[in-house]
mmCIF file of all heavy atoms in Angstrom:
data_model
loop_
_atom_site.group_PDB
_atom_site.id
_atom_site.type_symbol
_atom_site.label_atom_id
_atom_site.label_comp_id
_atom_site.label_asym_id
_atom_site.label_seq_id
_atom_site.Cartn_x
_atom_site.Cartn_y
_atom_site.Cartn_z
ATOM 1 N N GLY G 13 -4.738 3.839 -2.551
ATOM 2 C CA GLY G 13 -3.649 4.718 -3.112
ATOM 3 C C GLY G 13 -3.371 4.270 -4.566
ATOM 4 O O GLY G 13 -2.232 4.280 -4.954
ATOM 5 N N SER G 15 -4.322 5.772 -7.384
ATOM 6 C CA SER G 15 -4.413 6.815 -8.433
ATOM 7 C C SER G 15 -3.044 7.235 -9.009
ATOM 8 O O SER G 15 -2.969 8.008 -9.929
ATOM 9 C CB SER G 15 -5.134 8.126 -7.906
ATOM 10 O OG SER G 15 -4.350 8.710 -6.822
ATOM 11 N N ALA G 16 -1.995 6.696 -8.404
ATOM 12 C CA ALA G 16 -0.629 7.085 -8.812
ATOM 13 C C ALA G 16 0.329 6.067 -8.375
ATOM 14 O O ALA G 16 0.045 5.137 -7.558
ATOM 15 C CB ALA G 16 -0.296 8.466 -8.172
ATOM 16 N N ILE G 18 3.018 3.465 -7.087
ATOM 17 C CA ILE G 18 3.048 2.055 -6.866
ATOM 18 C C ILE G 18 1.641 1.455 -6.851
ATOM 19 O O ILE G 18 1.446 0.359 -7.448
ATOM 20 C CB ILE G 18 3.836 1.762 -5.530
ATOM 21 C CG1 ILE G 18 5.234 2.140 -5.652
ATOM 22 C CG2 ILE G 18 3.654 0.259 -5.135
ATOM 23 C CD1 ILE G 18 6.042 2.139 -4.324
ATOM 24 N N ARG G 38 -8.143 9.613 -3.358
ATOM 25 C CA ARG G 38 -8.949 10.812 -3.217
ATOM 26 C C ARG G 38 -9.199 11.514 -4.487
ATOM 27 O O ARG G 38 -10.273 12.225 -4.661
ATOM 28 C CB ARG G 38 -8.229 11.788 -2.194
ATOM 29 C CG ARG G 38 -8.124 11.281 -0.786
ATOM 30 C CD ARG G 38 -7.171 12.069 -0.006
ATOM 31 N NE ARG G 38 -5.863 12.062 -0.637
ATOM 32 C CZ ARG G 38 -4.764 12.650 -0.163
ATOM 33 N NH1 ARG G 38 -4.832 13.395 0.913
ATOM 34 N NH2 ARG G 38 -3.601 12.561 -0.819
ATOM 35 N N ARG G 39 -8.318 11.544 -5.411
ATOM 36 C CA ARG G 39 -8.483 12.367 -6.657
ATOM 37 C C ARG G 39 -9.390 11.701 -7.645
ATOM 38 O O ARG G 39 -8.965 10.823 -8.426
ATOM 39 C CB ARG G 39 -7.057 12.594 -7.220
ATOM 40 C CG ARG G 39 -6.295 13.692 -6.480
ATOM 41 C CD ARG G 39 -4.876 13.773 -6.943
ATOM 42 N NE ARG G 39 -4.078 12.596 -6.563
ATOM 43 C CZ ARG G 39 -2.793 12.457 -6.924
ATOM 44 N NH1 ARG G 39 -2.165 13.336 -7.619
ATOM 45 N NH2 ARG G 39 -2.139 11.328 -6.540
ATOM 46 N N ASP G 60 -11.190 9.226 1.219
ATOM 47 C CA ASP G 60 -9.996 9.662 1.999
ATOM 48 C C ASP G 60 -9.767 8.625 3.060
ATOM 49 O O ASP G 60 -10.505 8.558 4.080
ATOM 50 C CB ASP G 60 -10.235 11.049 2.628
ATOM 51 C CG ASP G 60 -9.009 11.487 3.396
ATOM 52 O OD1 ASP G 60 -8.072 10.713 3.596
ATOM 53 O OD2 ASP G 60 -8.996 12.723 3.705
ATOM 54 N N MET G 61 -8.824 7.742 2.888
ATOM 55 C CA MET G 61 -8.617 6.600 3.807
ATOM 56 C C MET G 61 -8.149 7.107 5.214
ATOM 57 O O MET G 61 -8.197 6.284 6.130
ATOM 58 C CB MET G 61 -7.548 5.681 3.272
ATOM 59 C CG MET G 61 -7.958 4.856 2.009
ATOM 60 S SD MET G 61 -9.525 3.883 2.279
ATOM 61 C CE MET G 61 -9.051 2.816 3.653
ATOM 62 N N ASN G 87 -1.906 0.281 0.387
ATOM 63 C CA ASN G 87 -0.752 0.940 -0.258
ATOM 64 C C ASN G 87 -0.677 2.447 -0.036
ATOM 65 O O ASN G 87 0.435 3.034 -0.035
ATOM 66 C CB ASN G 87 -0.757 0.650 -1.797
ATOM 67 C CG ASN G 87 0.147 1.543 -2.573
ATOM 68 O OD1 ASN G 87 1.334 1.320 -2.634
ATOM 69 N ND2 ASN G 87 -0.441 2.606 -3.208
ATOM 70 N N SER G 138 5.160 -1.510 3.347
ATOM 71 C CA SER G 138 6.065 -0.891 4.326
ATOM 72 C C SER G 138 7.085 -0.069 3.498
ATOM 73 O O SER G 138 6.778 0.459 2.487
ATOM 74 C CB SER G 138 6.698 -1.966 5.185
ATOM 75 O OG SER G 138 7.639 -1.381 6.069
ATOM 76 N N TYR G 152 8.449 8.928 9.567
ATOM 77 C CA TYR G 152 8.015 8.004 8.472
ATOM 78 C C TYR G 152 8.534 6.617 8.724
ATOM 79 O O TYR G 152 7.766 5.646 8.698
ATOM 80 C CB TYR G 152 8.632 8.576 7.122
ATOM 81 C CG TYR G 152 8.303 7.699 5.963
ATOM 82 C CD1 TYR G 152 7.073 7.763 5.354
ATOM 83 C CD2 TYR G 152 9.264 6.853 5.415
ATOM 84 C CE1 TYR G 152 6.780 7.015 4.194
ATOM 85 C CE2 TYR G 152 9.007 6.067 4.306
ATOM 86 C CZ TYR G 152 7.750 6.173 3.655
ATOM 87 O OH TYR G 152 7.495 5.393 2.559
ATOM 88 N N LYS G 156 6.436 3.146 9.697
ATOM 89 C CA LYS G 156 6.545 1.938 8.886
ATOM 90 C C LYS G 156 7.015 0.758 9.784
ATOM 91 O O LYS G 156 6.604 -0.404 9.568
ATOM 92 C CB LYS G 156 7.517 2.090 7.731
ATOM 93 C CG LYS G 156 6.986 3.074 6.597
ATOM 94 C CD LYS G 156 5.763 2.530 5.943
ATOM 95 C CE LYS G 156 5.437 3.357 4.652
ATOM 96 N NZ LYS G 156 4.162 2.926 4.033
ATOM 97 N N PRO G 182 9.489 -1.720 -0.199
ATOM 98 C CA PRO G 182 10.312 -1.217 -1.302
ATOM 99 C C PRO G 182 11.389 -0.273 -0.917
ATOM 100 O O PRO G 182 11.280 0.415 0.181
ATOM 101 C CB PRO G 182 9.284 -0.383 -2.161
ATOM 102 C CG PRO G 182 7.918 -0.631 -1.559
ATOM 103 C CD PRO G 182 8.159 -1.037 -0.147
ATOM 104 N N GLY G 183 12.428 -0.239 -1.691
ATOM 105 C CA GLY G 183 13.419 0.809 -1.613
ATOM 106 C C GLY G 183 12.981 1.968 -2.498
ATOM 107 O O GLY G 183 11.783 2.087 -2.878
ATOM 108 N N THR G 185 11.740 4.201 -5.096
ATOM 109 C CA THR G 185 10.961 3.927 -6.373
ATOM 110 C C THR G 185 10.451 5.266 -6.930
ATOM 111 O O THR G 185 10.035 6.200 -6.188
ATOM 112 C CB THR G 185 9.708 3.058 -5.937
ATOM 113 O OG1 THR G 185 10.217 1.912 -5.240
ATOM 114 C CG2 THR G 185 9.035 2.575 -7.257
ATOM 115 N N THR G 187 8.343 7.766 -7.967
ATOM 116 C CA THR G 187 6.885 8.142 -7.900
ATOM 117 C C THR G 187 6.774 9.637 -7.470
ATOM 118 O O THR G 187 7.749 10.272 -7.188
ATOM 119 C CB THR G 187 6.113 7.303 -6.873
ATOM 120 O OG1 THR G 187 6.500 7.708 -5.591
ATOM 121 C CG2 THR G 187 6.350 5.805 -7.095
ATOM 122 N N ILE G 189 5.746 10.513 -4.597
ATOM 123 C CA ILE G 189 5.868 10.613 -3.196
ATOM 124 C C ILE G 189 6.934 11.669 -2.748
ATOM 125 O O ILE G 189 6.858 12.213 -1.667
ATOM 126 C CB ILE G 189 6.132 9.213 -2.534
ATOM 127 C CG1 ILE G 189 5.641 9.223 -1.069
ATOM 128 C CG2 ILE G 189 7.606 8.808 -2.607
ATOM 129 C CD1 ILE G 189 5.526 7.880 -0.413
ATOM 130 N N PHE G 190 7.904 11.893 -3.631
ATOM 131 C CA PHE G 190 9.012 12.824 -3.260
ATOM 132 C C PHE G 190 8.666 14.292 -3.624
ATOM 133 O O PHE G 190 9.506 15.135 -3.346
ATOM 134 C CB PHE G 190 10.278 12.403 -3.940
ATOM 135 C CG PHE G 190 10.700 10.960 -3.555
ATOM 136 C CD1 PHE G 190 10.559 9.936 -4.518
ATOM 137 C CD2 PHE G 190 11.187 10.656 -2.317
ATOM 138 C CE1 PHE G 190 10.854 8.603 -4.164
ATOM 139 C CE2 PHE G 190 11.489 9.317 -1.947
ATOM 140 C CZ PHE G 190 11.317 8.352 -2.891
HETATM 141 P P1 LIG X 1 2.563 8.288 -4.536
HETATM 142 O O1 LIG X 1 2.650 9.635 -3.871
HETATM 143 O O2 LIG X 1 2.998 8.111 -5.912
HETATM 144 O O3 LIG X 1 1.049 7.718 -4.440
HETATM 145 C C1 LIG X 1 0.452 7.657 -3.199
HETATM 146 C C2 LIG X 1 -0.978 7.166 -3.414
HETATM 147 O O4 LIG X 1 -1.676 7.257 -2.150
HETATM 148 C C3 LIG X 1 -1.795 8.077 -4.356
HETATM 149 O O5 LIG X 1 -2.599 7.297 -5.127
HETATM 150 C C4 LIG X 1 -2.569 8.973 -3.416
HETATM 151 O O6 LIG X 1 -3.783 9.298 -4.119
HETATM 152 C C5 LIG X 1 -2.878 7.956 -2.272
HETATM 153 N N1 LIG X 1 -3.223 8.600 -1.058
HETATM 154 C C6 LIG X 1 -2.474 9.430 -0.289
HETATM 155 N N2 LIG X 1 -3.203 9.857 0.803
HETATM 156 C C7 LIG X 1 -4.379 9.224 0.725
HETATM 157 C C8 LIG X 1 -5.565 9.219 1.500
HETATM 158 N N3 LIG X 1 -5.631 9.999 2.673
HETATM 159 N N4 LIG X 1 -6.612 8.508 1.151
HETATM 160 C C9 LIG X 1 -6.539 7.745 0.045
HETATM 161 N N5 LIG X 1 -5.509 7.641 -0.751
HETATM 162 C C10 LIG X 1 -4.429 8.419 -0.435
HETATM 163 O O7 LIG X 1 3.413 7.275 -3.559
HETATM 164 P P2 LIG X 1 4.075 5.867 -3.841
HETATM 165 O O8 LIG X 1 3.381 5.178 -4.865
HETATM 166 O O9 LIG X 1 5.503 6.057 -3.896
HETATM 167 O O10 LIG X 1 3.807 5.184 -2.393
HETATM 168 C C11 LIG X 1 2.915 4.036 -2.229
HETATM 169 C C12 LIG X 1 3.320 3.337 -0.959
HETATM 170 O O11 LIG X 1 4.622 2.820 -1.084
HETATM 171 C C13 LIG X 1 3.315 4.232 0.285
HETATM 172 O O12 LIG X 1 2.776 3.470 1.398
HETATM 173 C C14 LIG X 1 4.783 4.489 0.561
HETATM 174 O O13 LIG X 1 5.056 4.774 1.863
HETATM 175 C C15 LIG X 1 5.432 3.166 0.066
HETATM 176 N N6 LIG X 1 6.782 3.306 -0.314
HETATM 177 C C16 LIG X 1 7.176 4.140 -1.371
HETATM 178 C C17 LIG X 1 8.518 4.232 -1.720
HETATM 179 C C18 LIG X 1 9.034 5.021 -2.848
HETATM 180 O O14 LIG X 1 10.281 5.167 -2.968
HETATM 181 N N7 LIG X 1 8.196 5.547 -3.695
HETATM 182 C C19 LIG X 1 9.558 3.448 -0.983
HETATM 183 C C20 LIG X 1 9.022 2.653 0.104
HETATM 184 C C21 LIG X 1 7.709 2.596 0.411
HETATM 185 P P3 LIG X 1 -4.659 10.632 -3.880
HETATM 186 O O15 LIG X 1 -3.726 11.776 -3.691
HETATM 187 O O16 LIG X 1 -5.473 10.635 -5.164
HETATM 188 O O17 LIG X 1 -5.492 10.347 -2.688
#
Side-chain angles (χ1 to χ4, degrees):
S15 64
I18 294 171
R38 294 166 301 179
R39 284 172 290 179
D60 183 347
M61 290 304 301
N87 165 79
S138 178
Y152 178 79
K156 291 296 191 185
T185 308
T187 72
I189 204 166
F190 303 107

